[in-house]
Amino acid sequence: MKSVLAMIVVGLTPRHLGPLMPRLSALAREGAMVPLQTGTPAVTCSVQASFMTGLTPREHGVVANGWLFRDLMEVMLWRQSNRLVEGEKVWEAGKRRNPAFTCANMFWWYNMASSHDFGATPRPIYKADGRKLPDCYTVPDSLRDRLTERLGPFPLFQFWGPATTIASTRWIADATRMVMAEQNPTLTLVYLPHLDYDLQRFGPDREHPAVRKSLAEIDAVAGDLADAARASGRTVVILSEYGITKVDRPIHINRALRDAGLLTVRLEDGGELLDPTVSKAFAVADHQIAHVYVSDPNSLPKAREVLQGLPGIERVYDAADKHSLQLDHPRSGELVAMADARSWFTYYYWNDDRRAPDFARTVEIHRKPGYDPVELFLDPNISSPKLAVGKRLLMRKLGFRALMDVIPLDAALVGGSHGRITDDVSDGPLVISDRISLLDGKSLSATGVKSLLLDAVFS
């Protein structure tokens, strides 16, 4: 068996390669690079599940980053259990071929309750007084202590939110180097998210100073990790799940359904909460795709009419044509809405910001009934944001409850999104390998990554 490092550099596209990314560009030039035919939806959890299983969302069931759990009647995003992913995983296939095969999963999603040998994933400590403390979950549990001792606590607040920096991605890369050196897994999977942040904030313009900085930073971290892998005799495979394109039009899909009398809210302590249990129709927004759950079949025509009338929606899929997206799975909505290239879906369902729930102005990925890229921004109406954040942190340290309500409610701030297949392959995802034979003359789909990694190990 040949040891392999499979590295996801989130948001990396062929158009990014060049002078701003000298090390990854050299790897592509000396080895091979092909565009990746990603799946729909082109979002983290769905595409990574296809990488892991070689299956489409119709088969593995990960229809988005989150969905309505119909038995609970609750919307949940960013769940962690690998048991939500149907199908044989790449490491299970490797073990079937050779029982000596081992796998380290470093921050690929659905990392918990899994059958891989070594792993790490973000897992905050939630205290009873409302505090959220940085931490990670590892397999085995002792790995967490070794990583923390060597690298410090996982920098959770640099992993997502307005304070994101290269620090969290560098921590993941350093942790991966430790695991490769100490455990020598046959297959190492690692997720490096840094580039994703500024591409969503500002769009994919390579001339934007923040984007240029992010490209250089991720090139350095990924380049160091690739060099370490190659020095230990590993084959290197670099993947991206999607390309991020420029957007300038948010679609408030839930507000439209509410105005049509299909979405119902309930008032709690002055804030409105979406109520899935009595709503006739509502959307779980996820970048450029939205699953629309319609509880009353008689409301389907009206819901479809509302969606088709919204500027920015390219197409609405129903039960008859979801098959073409390979999204005909029980977890999918009765309708699936796809945005056009310049648009994306917000989760917002309130019509008056004074009625927004308290979590709307915070980084709260598990309570919001949809994806919220505005969490990457500090509210520009706060005159001294550092002072505002520091004051809230001090109050928490003194034992007071303080809401970290520093996130704006202005969807127009978002500059980039993903979820639909890009019109130009140069703006879409890619695959790079230092072994030319793996990619030479090939076109690769997301469902082909599992076979590619097994070929890299066993061929």
Side-chain angles (χ1 to χ4, degrees), residues 265-276:
V265 301
R266 72 178 188 274
L267 192 64
E268 288 191 0
D269 194 27
E272 293 179 344
L273 296 181
L274 189 156
D275 192 345

Side-chain angles (χ1 to χ4, degrees), residues 123-238:
R123 190 66 171 178
I125 299 171
Y126 293 96
K127 304 296 286 185
D129 61 2
R131 287 178 297 155
K132 181 167 63 175
L133 307 181
D135 203 0
C136 62
Y137 179 93
T138 66
V139 174
D141 184 61
S142 59
L143 176 59
R144 169 192 176 201
D145 296 332
R146 297 201 305 277
L147 292 175
T148 302
E149 181 181 359
R150 186 87 61 88
L151 305 175
F154 174 66
L156 179 74
F157 302 120
Q158 285 77 51
F159 182 73
W160 178 251
T164 54
T165 69
I166 192 65
S168 61
T169 293
R170 185 179 292 114
W171 193 100
I172 295 169
D174 290 343
T176 302
R177 292 176 67 171
M178 277 183 57
V179 170
M180 288 194 302
E182 294 178 3
Q183 307 298 339
N184 194 28
T186 313
L187 174 64
T188 303
L189 310 172
V190 61
Y191 173 72
L192 303 181
H194 178 67
L195 184 58
D196 194 42
Y197 308 135
D198 281 336
L199 294 180
Q200 289 193 64
R201 286 188 182 110
F202 307 113
D205 182 6
R206 290 173 296 172
E207 298 308 310
H208 192 287
V211 173
R212 293 175 67 90
K213 182 173 183 286
S214 288
L215 289 168
E217 288 174 334
I218 192 62
D219 185 67
V221 172
D224 286 347
L225 184 56
D227 286 350
R230 298 178 76 185
S232 63
R234 287 173 163 80
T235 294
V236 172
V237 176
I238 297 174

Side-chain angles (χ1 to χ4, degrees), residues 77 100 104 130 147 184 191 196 296 332 365 376 410 420:
L77 282 83
L147 292 175
N184 194 28
Y191 173 72
D196 194 42
D296 178 9
S332 291
I365 65 172
L376 289 167
D410 182 4
R420 67 194 301 279

